[in-house]
Structures are given as structure tokens and as C-alpha cells.
Amino acid sequence: MLAVAACAACGGAQVPEGAAAHDACAPLAVTAAVATSVQQAGIAGALALWRDHGASAFDAAPAAAGAAAIAVEFDDAPATFHGVYDPTGDRVLINRDVTDPATLAIVIAHELGHAFGLVHVPPATRLSLMNPDNLVTPPTDADQQAVEALWGRCR
């Protein structure tokens, strides 16, 4: 069972102040030691969503020298929990009961947004991948601008 204190659907989990975030333009390997074909499709979908919104971190070969890595892990969790980014372990934890590839892609992309240093955006502020409990909204142009404000435009 995923052991993440007080995190319902990534409801309060954000990258803690002072925790290192990953540059959306620097090589970043996203790995999953154990993943079904549906889970692998969800990971691939999340990477494609971010590539389509300017993040080039995933373009380097996974074994690129000096590339940082984030592990994606799937485990049992309460139904209200979808995923969380754990910056101390450089991993994304996902509820294995999320089985739709499109939903998985959104959940994983959301958690990778935290890895890039993005925080939750209240739904009343704007539609965003980074809305808490989001299961349907992919990265928006405003999400891309938020990443670019942190890291610059990837080349």
C-alpha cells in the first residue's frame, strides 16, 4: 500500500519549499521497473503531453550521461488517491487502480508538473493540468508558460 501521509489525490502534496525541482529542458529519464502495458502507455502519454507543451527533458536517451531520473511506481492505494510526486525519493507514486491510459497520462503528467516545480492551481483561478484532483485536463498553454517562467524556453 502506498504510504503517503495525508495525500488524497495529490490534494496537498506539492514540491516542498527548498526541494530541488527538475529542469524541464535538461535530460530526465522516467523509468518504471514494473509496469503493465496500460501503465507504460500512461507514462508514454504523459511524456508526450509535456513534449507537446515545450518540455524537452524526455528527448534524451534514458541512459544519457548525467541524466536525472524519476521512477514511476504503481501500488495499491485508497480510491481517493491518484498520485503524488515524492521529491525526496525522485519518484512518482500512482494508484494501480487508475487503469485508463488517458487518465493515467493526465495523473502522471500532473505529478511530473510538480517535478518541474509547478504547484497546484485552484480551479477557480484557471483550468490547468495542475488543478488538484485533475483527471481530464492536459497541460495548457498557461501551464507551459509557468514551466517556461521557471526554466526558460527549451530549445
Side-chain angles (χ1 to χ4, degrees):
M1 167 95 53
L2 292 174
V4 178
C7 180
C10 188
Q14 298 189 49
V15 177
E17 190 171 323
H22 291 278
D23 183 337
C25 303
L28 180 63
V30 177
T31 63
V34 178
T36 66
S37 60
V38 169
Q39 292 165 339
Q40 290 171 353
I43 294 168
L47 303 184
L49 289 171
W50 273 118
R51 277 189 194 105
D52 290 348
H53 278 82
S56 64
F58 315 114
D59 294 341
I70 292 178
V72 179
E73 300 173 12
F74 300 87
D75 205 346
D76 296 328
T80 57
F81 175 89
H82 301 116
V84 67
Y85 171 57
D86 170 17
T88 60
D90 251 348
R91 62 190 183 148
V92 169
L93 305 170
I94 303 295
N95 185 337
R96 80 174 65 213
D97 289 336
V98 179
T99 57
D100 174 66
T103 303
L104 273 170
I106 298 295
V107 171
I108 295 167
H110 174 101
E111 300 311 332
L112 291 173
H114 288 307
F116 290 150
L118 299 181
V119 297
H120 285 148
V121 174
T125 301
R126 68 175 169 86
L127 190 63
S128 171
L129 171 72
M130 300 310 296
N131 295 148
D133 302 323
N134 173 36
L135 298 176
V136 296
T137 302
T140 64
D141 290 344
D143 295 325
Q144 180 176 344
Q145 291 165 0
V147 168
E148 289 174 358
L150 291 170
W151 304 110
R153 183 172 284 227
C154 298
R155 308 242 181 262

